[in-house]
């Protein structure tokens, strides 16, 4: 993943480009570089077109998905890595080129996925491949307290998902002999057509009319699952959440999503992290911020306070003459770093002091204070920075 180009740069748009501008940029690249347009070119040209189109499609698949875009904007490539191969299912070519556009047909996603799997062009020769039904991914979210995030936690997440039918073993029929490969499409679920379009000659794939795209012929469908091979079930999945995760991050639990029909591969469970607000800490990355209000006498005379931590509390010395707004740093008392992401070291805990001025005074207190009103030590010290600033301003007159 090293040296991956910035997605905005790939599409040639600015970081604050609108969804329409992103779409228009991708359309331009597609019109020029779609490999279907370069089928009759030299190997070198074909390779170049494939590379450019591939890169642009990956960029568009992220930037056109608000969820992924937000993550990419925040964390860069690190925010969306580890989610497996790019997913192009959200690229809607009808939406980009307008309805009535028939250039790429239904095989486009397979086409792109083949391309990323390194099997570009595999379809054109040899036997059609039997269709495999991968189960869909499931998205869910977990709410975590800062304490849980600081320690790392194992959470039970309840989801409803497709599981292989227990009555037919996921086959779709009681007897294995009742399930046969569609003779019409040889199990691929698709019919191939050669057609002419704005890109020249193109190959389109349409759903097999014989089997409805399943690639199968099932004689006595299982009554429990209706022949689909899957049933819905509510299950509890244990999700290991490492210490140091942040709000908006997504964890992948491989193969904990829906089971594929007819024993197809399982999808993943995607868990979005939601951080609950903390009663007194504000988190910024690995650092924590805490505000403590001192009485005016404690600020003047000094004292010792207790700062609550996430797993133990800390004693902090307040120096005599502590100013309102001053900050002390407790090194290493912040959040743990997330491994391989923000570094493994801990962040810091910042304690900010505010001084509370009493609103009501007894006559006695008032008298004492009146007596001190003109004391030298009660006069605020001039702010050096401001004085320098005034000197500079004077020079300009
Ligand atoms: Zn068929
Ligand atoms: Zn069944």
């Amino acid at each position: 993943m090293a040296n991956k180009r910035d997605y905005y740069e790939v599409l040639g748009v600015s970081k604050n480009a609108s969804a329409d501008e992103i779409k228009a940029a991708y359309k331009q690249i597609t019109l020029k570089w779609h490999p279907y347009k370069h089928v009759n070119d030299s190997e070198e040209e074909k390779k170049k077109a494939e590379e450019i189109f591939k890169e642009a499609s990956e960029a568009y698949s992220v930037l056109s998905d608000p969820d992924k875009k937000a993550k990419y904007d925040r964390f860069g490539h690190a925010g969306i890595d580890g989610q497996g191969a790019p997913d192009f299912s959200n690229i809607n070519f009808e939406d980009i080129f307008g309805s009535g556009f028939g250039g790429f047909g239904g095989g486009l996603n397979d086409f792109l996925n083949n391309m990323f799997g390194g099997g570009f062009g595999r379809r054109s020769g040899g036997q059609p491949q039997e269709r495999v039904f991968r189960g869909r991914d499931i998205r869910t979210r977990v709410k975590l307290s800062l304490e849980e995030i600081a320690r790392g936690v194992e959470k039970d997440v309840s989801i409803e998902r497709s599981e292989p039918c227990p009555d037919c073993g996921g086959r779709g029929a009681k007897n294995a002999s009742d399930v046969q490969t569609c003779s019409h499409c040889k199990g691929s679920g698709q019919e191939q057509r050669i057609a002419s379009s704005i890109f020249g000659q193109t190959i389109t794939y349409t759903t097999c009319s014989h089997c409805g795209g399943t690639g199968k012929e099932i004689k006595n469908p299982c009554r429990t699952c209706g022949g689909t091979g899957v049933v819905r079930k509510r299950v509890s999945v244990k999700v290991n959440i490492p210490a140091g995760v942040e709000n908006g991050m997504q964890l992948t639990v491989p193969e904990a999503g829906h089971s594929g029909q007819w024993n197809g591969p399982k999808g993943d469970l995607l868990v979005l992290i939601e951080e609950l607000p903390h009663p007194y800490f504000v988190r910024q990355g690995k650092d924590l911020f805490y505000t403590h209000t001192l009485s005016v006498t404690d600020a003047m005379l000094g004292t010792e306070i207790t700062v609550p931590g996430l797993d133990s509390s800390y004693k902090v010395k307040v120096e005599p003459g502590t100013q309102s707004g001053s900050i002390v740093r407790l090194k290493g008392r912040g959040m743990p770093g997330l491994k391989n992401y923000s570094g493994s070291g801990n962040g810091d805990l910042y304690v900010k002091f505010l001084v509370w001025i009493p609103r009501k005074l007894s006559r006695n207190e008032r008298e004492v204070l009146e007596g001190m009103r003109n004391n030298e030590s009660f006069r605020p010290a001039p702010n050096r920075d401001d004085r320098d600033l005034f000197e500079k301003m004077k020079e300009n007159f």
Side-chain angles (χ1 to χ4, degrees):
M1 285 295 159
N3 297 326
K4 221 169 170 183
R5 279 218 293 158
D6 176 65
Y7 285 152
Y8 291 96
E9 191 188 312
V10 168
L11 294 180
V13 294
S14 75
K15 293 238 188 278
N16 39 35
S18 68
D20 282 343
E21 284 165 342
I22 289 168
K23 194 198 279 181
Y26 180 61
K27 181 177 174 178
Q28 284 310 312
I29 293 170
T30 307
L31 283 171
K32 189 155 180 218
W33 295 107
H34 195 290
Y36 282 171
K37 280 204 80 183
H38 298 266
V39 279
N40 297 321
D41 291 350
S42 68
E43 281 305 314
E44 206 178 315
E45 277 293 302
K46 262 193 241 177
K47 191 94 208 133
K48 186 180 166 196
E50 190 187 320
E51 286 302 321
I52 293 173
F53 181 64
K54 205 158 117 173
E55 198 184 20
S57 298
E58 187 183 325
Y60 183 70
S61 75
V62 170
L63 298 184
S64 61
D65 178 331
D67 208 43
K68 286 184 186 158
K69 182 177 184 295
K71 253 170 237 149
Y72 179 74
D73 287 345
R74 196 153 164 230
F75 304 113
H77 289 293
I80 45 170
D81 279 351
Q83 290 182 30
D87 170 25
F88 302 105
S89 54
N90 62 331
I91 300 185
N92 181 345
F93 279 85
E94 279 219 339
D95 178 41
I96 295 170
F97 292 97
S99 59
F101 170 81
F104 302 136
L108 183 85
N109 290 334
D110 288 343
F111 170 81
L112 283 166
N113 288 327
N114 276 343
M115 210 154 84
F116 274 85
F120 176 54
R122 183 174 48 197
R123 270 186 181 282
S124 52
Q127 291 294 310
Q129 288 185 333
E130 190 144 342
R131 185 157 179 208
V132 173
F133 290 82
R134 180 185 183 268
R136 280 179 298 119
D137 293 340
I138 295 175
R139 282 167 199 278
T140 186
R141 54 179 70 209
V142 285
K143 294 181 179 187
L144 301 169
S145 68
L146 262 190
E147 282 84 356
E148 288 175 319
I149 293 174
R151 264 176 253 130
V153 66
E154 190 180 76
K155 281 269 170 184
D156 288 317
V157 175
S158 173
I159 50 167
E160 199 188 287
R161 70 180 177 195
S162 296
E163 301 229 315
C165 172
D167 287 346
C168 63
R171 278 192 300 263
K174 284 246 154 73
N175 303 313
S177 59
D178 283 341
V179 182
Q180 272 155 25
T181 301
C182 170
S183 54
H184 195 70
C185 64
K186 310 266 190 303
S188 73
Q190 290 180 328
E191 290 172 292
Q192 185 179 314
R193 273 198 206 119
I194 312 274
S196 292
S197 81
I198 49 169
F199 296 117
Q201 205 171 65
T202 62
I203 305 163
T204 51
Y205 294 93
T206 55
T207 304
C208 172
S209 52
H210 197 69
C211 62
T214 62
K216 293 179 196 305
E217 287 172 60
I218 299 173
K219 290 220 178 81
N220 296 304
C222 163
R223 281 210 209 130
T224 309
C225 64
T228 61
V230 287
V231 289
R232 298 290 272 200
K233 211 175 155 191
R234 183 154 281 279
V235 292
S236 178
V237 178
K238 283 198 189 312
V239 181
N240 254 312
I241 294 152
V245 293
E246 285 183 33
N247 195 45
M249 280 184 171
Q250 189 174 267
L251 299 175
T252 303
V253 187
E255 302 191 345
H258 290 292
S259 290
Q261 284 182 278
W262 304 294
N263 292 321
K266 291 180 166 73
D268 298 333
L269 175 62
L270 310 174
V271 184
L272 188 71
I273 303 294
E274 204 174 297
E275 184 186 305
L276 293 167
H278 196 271
Y280 40 76
F281 286 127
V282 173
R283 178 188 188 187
Q284 217 174 75
K286 293 201 286 178
D287 296 329
L288 292 176
F289 295 84
Y290 173 74
T291 302
H292 185 94
T293 306
L294 295 166
S295 74
V296 73
T297 42
D298 280 346
M300 285 195 288
L301 302 170
T303 185
E304 190 182 67
I305 60 155
T306 302
V307 175
L310 290 175
D311 40 30
S312 65
S313 53
Y314 311 110
K315 294 248 182 279
V316 176
K317 194 167 183 272
V318 179
E319 296 294 338
T322 290
Q323 300 296 327
S324 189
S326 61
I327 291 168
V328 293
R329 180 170 76 148
L330 306 186
K331 209 163 181 296
R333 301 300 192 193
M335 299 291 287
L338 183 60
K339 261 193 180 170
N340 303 329
Y341 174 63
S342 48
S344 50
N346 273 31
D348 303 327
L349 169 57
Y350 291 88
V351 181
K352 181 177 172 179
F353 294 113
L354 293 181
V355 176
W356 191 78
I357 309 295
R359 290 206 176 89
K360 272 185 193 162
L361 296 172
S362 67
R363 192 195 299 187
N364 224 347
E365 287 161 344
R366 184 176 294 276
E367 268 169 26
V368 172
L369 286 168
E370 281 294 354
M372 292 188 290
R373 193 194 273 276
N374 293 316
N375 283 12
E376 184 66 29
S377 54
F378 274 66
R379 217 164 284 156
N383 185 321
R384 275 207 67 86
D385 290 343
D386 286 358
R387 206 164 48 177
D388 290 345
L389 189 73
F390 290 142
E391 290 300 329
K392 277 202 190 99
M393 281 168 72
K394 267 198 287 184
E395 278 168 24
N396 291 332
F397 282 103

